[in-house]
Amino acid sequence: MALQVSELKKSYGGEPVVAGLSFAVAAGSCFGLLGPNGAGKTTTLRLCLGLTAPDSGRIELAGQPIPAAAQTARARVGVVPQFDNLDPDFTCTENLLVFGRYFGLADHDIRARIPALLDFASLGNKADARIASLSGGMKRRLTLARALINDPDIVFLDEPTTGLDPQARHLIWERLKQLKAAGKTLILTTHFMDEAERLADTLIVIDHGRKIAEGSPRELIARHIEPQVVEVYDEFHGRLPEFVENQRALAERVEVSGETAFFYCHDPRPLLARLADADGLRYVHRASNLEDVFIKLTGRELRD
Ligand code: ADP
């Protein structure tokens, strides 16, 4: 196991933030830590890295007890933090160089690695560019390259694509898949369900510091939710409430959120037949996804 966590607990000001969490991450896999805002994801990552001391529980990272041997473990680990903390006064090359020195690497060894890392980040032509001249996507890719400076076995990523445009997200996903293919273990937090569904072999969903679901994306969808969804939208005629009331029995579960009703079912055909005759309602039929599971488990109310 790359990471093993058991009965982990951490409170702030008497409030439990991580409330008895246990999970394990197989070496070479991609593990997703999912949860709404404030669920305790970042705190869990910080505990696993030995950056925050737990109140109780056991953590083993890269075979080392945390926090006791955090420094030894961290030599085998790379971290992509949630907010880019590149040094704005330095160039791309200088940022990598300075970061490599934290690991006690010799300058000539770091310099030998830099071209391949910049290529990996698609920043081969930006070696001497200052950080301020980079786009958000470029900065995130440089942060990813920086996390690889010590050739780690395990890479932690805290919301790796938050704030990026679709093109930049896709490029990061490609690179993460390459890292996995190269045998690295990836541990990522995200609240993007499409990201988790794409990348994670196994994931846990946490809420209020507790694990509320665990499995592969496919397992979670199969276990927690009906396989088909029909989303019905109101086309300004105000007919949705009546339609929901009359056709509720055609689905196993119906959820209404704003202008949209979600009909979760095994066989959508009777409902689709009714919709074909329903004026003023638009609809989409699709397979259930991880977002449906997430919403079912954590609710629709906002968490800021
Ligand atoms: P997530 O990453 O899932 O959004 P966090 O782990 O950042 O959640 O935070 C979980 C909760 O713990 C939040 O309510 C946050 O305010 C609180 N918290 C996190 N770090 C601290 C801290 N250093 N001191 C006090 N409260 C904290």
Side-chain angles (χ1 to χ4, degrees):
M1 288 291 162
L3 171 65
Q4 222 155 356
V5 171
S6 54
E7 287 303 315
L8 189 61
K9 290 187 181 166
K10 177 74 182 178
S11 296
Y12 285 116
E15 279 297 305
V17 169
V18 177
L21 205 53
S22 303
F23 59 90
V25 180
S29 71
C30 178
F31 179 83
L33 190 55
L34 274 58
N37 278 335
K41 302 182 295 293
T42 301
T43 305
T44 302
L45 284 197
R46 292 181 54 81
L47 288 164
C48 290
L49 289 165
L51 302 171
T52 300
D55 298 338
S56 63
R58 238 169 33 83
I59 303 168
E60 201 178 284
L61 174 63
Q64 302 292 331
I66 304 295
Q71 213 163 353
T72 310
R74 283 215 294 270
R76 306 300 330 130
V77 167
V79 180
V80 179
Q82 190 172 341
F83 300 104
D84 293 321
N85 57 355
L86 298 160
D87 193 319
D89 298 328
F90 287 167
T91 64
C92 293
T93 296
E94 287 165 346
N95 263 279
L96 296 176
L97 193 60
V98 168
F99 203 75
R101 288 177 187 151
Y102 292 142
F103 289 93
L105 299 173
D107 278 16
H108 64 269
D109 289 334
I110 308 172
R111 285 190 189 281
R113 287 184 191 175
I114 285 176
L117 287 173
L118 289 177
D119 276 348
F120 177 77
S122 303
L123 293 171
N125 57 350
K126 294 284 181 186
D128 299 320
R130 291 202 177 273
I131 301 306
S133 70
L134 303 183
S135 70
M138 289 175 179
K139 285 184 200 164
R140 198 64 58 88
R141 298 200 306 271
L142 184 61
T143 307
L144 178 58
R146 191 185 67 173
L148 303 174
I149 196 85
N150 56 328
D151 192 22
D153 302 320
I154 305 170
V155 184
F156 283 78
L157 305 117
D158 196 358
E159 298 191 10
T161 66
T162 296
L164 300 186
D165 64 32
Q167 288 83 354
R169 296 182 76 205
H170 278 274
L171 189 48
I172 294 277
W173 289 337
E174 277 319 303
R175 293 302 183 261
L176 295 183
K177 284 181 186 164
Q178 281 179 21
L179 290 178
K180 218 187 98 182
K184 313 250 181 237
T185 306
L186 304 181
I187 300 172
L188 71 124
T189 74
T190 183
H191 48 229
F192 293 121
M193 297 303 119
D194 57 337
E195 181 160 293
E197 213 166 323
R198 241 170 240 270
L199 297 175
D201 300 302
T202 322
L203 56 91
I204 62 172
V205 182
I206 64 172
D207 202 7
H208 306 295
R210 290 178 199 283
K211 182 168 70 182
I212 56 173
E214 178 167 26
S216 71
R218 273 170 188 278
E219 282 166 358
L220 288 170
I221 292 166
R223 193 179 309 146
H224 291 281
I225 207 136
E226 301 76 10
Q228 308 281 327
V229 191
V230 181
E231 294 185 21
V232 184
Y233 310 91
D234 208 332
E235 289 264 273
F236 17 77
H237 296 103
R239 291 185 185 148
L240 188 61
E242 188 192 342
F243 183 83
V244 169
E245 202 46 49
N246 293 338
Q247 313 302 340
R248 188 175 280 280
L250 296 179
E252 275 85 354
R253 205 159 54 81
V254 182
E255 281 192 34
V256 179
S257 178
E259 303 289 286
T260 308
F262 297 78
F263 289 78
Y264 291 97
C265 49
H266 284 86
D267 179 5
R269 285 172 298 185
L271 179 62
L272 292 171
R274 298 284 161 81
L275 279 163
D277 300 331
D279 275 346
L281 292 176
R282 282 191 305 137
Y283 61 95
V284 175
H285 170 211
R286 61 173 174 81
S288 304
N289 59 33
L290 203 52
E291 184 145 341
D292 298 307
V293 176
F294 188 82
I295 295 282
K296 184 179 176 201
L297 294 175
T298 62
R300 287 193 186 269
E301 76 273 19
L302 277 181
R303 314 279 184 96
D304 302 311

